[in-house]
Amino acid sequence: FMRRELFDHVDIEPGAWNVPRGDLPAEAVPAEAAAYEARIDALGGADLCLLGIGRNGHIAFNEPGSSPDSRTRLIALDRTTRIDAAKSFGGLAGVPLRGVSMGIGSIHPRRPAHPAGRPRRGEGAVPGPGRRGSGGDRLPREPA
């Protein structure tokens, strides 16, 4: 999906991106998730994560309530997430019920990524009341 929708349209070397496989049967996901996490660790962490933030506040597919320590895993997709994705899948019936998501604990880089004085990751990413606990809100914060 990511290759077809993004990487085939931008100037990036095939080996320069790393996306967890979402085309595996559920029973194969734990091994793929562990291998994906190992690839991130072998590279010294993620220098840049390009992630989507959904209308319900999810980041990647970390739906509201996801643990800040979560790692790559299979996750049930919220109905709002599925409705919003329907156009890309030819209608709601074509949208998967589950997806493989990089966890919030995996997204957070091992090294500081922002210069002093700049906003911290996640600040203002999901504005408004009632968004506490959403994926964007739950990204770990670095000291300013």
Side-chain angles (χ1 to χ4, degrees):
F1 179 83
M2 291 302 296
R3 180 184 313 214
R4 180 185 73 237
E5 297 297 322
L6 176 64
F7 300 125
D8 284 349
H9 306 283
V10 296
D11 185 20
I12 188 168
E13 295 294 322
W17 49 271
N18 191 14
V19 176
R21 288 188 57 191
D23 61 342
L24 300 173
E27 60 273 7
V29 172
E32 166 60 18
Y36 179 74
E37 292 285 337
R39 288 190 303 269
I40 293 169
D41 288 340
L43 294 168
D47 290 325
L48 175 69
C49 290
L50 181 61
L51 307 164
I53 298 179
R55 179 167 49 121
N56 68 353
H58 76 254
I59 186 162
F61 281 135
N62 291 285
E63 298 289 1
S66 293
S67 167
D69 299 323
S70 61
R71 297 290 174 192
T72 303
R73 69 209 182 283
L74 187 65
I75 190 165
L77 300 179
D78 184 86
R79 180 162 174 78
T80 302
T81 300
R82 295 185 65 244
I83 289 169
D84 291 349
K87 184 177 178 183
S88 297
F89 287 88
L92 187 59
V95 180
L97 296 173
R98 300 176 294 184
V100 177
S101 182
M102 186 179 193
I104 294 183
S106 307
I107 293 166
H108 189 253
R110 277 68 167 180
R111 302 179 287 282
H114 64 85
R118 293 269 177 106
R120 292 175 285 190
R121 263 180 318 290
E123 286 184 347
V126 186
R131 296 296 192 183
R132 302 283 313 154
S134 65
D137 184 60
R138 300 206 45 139
L139 279 176
R141 306 282 203 257
E142 294 175 8

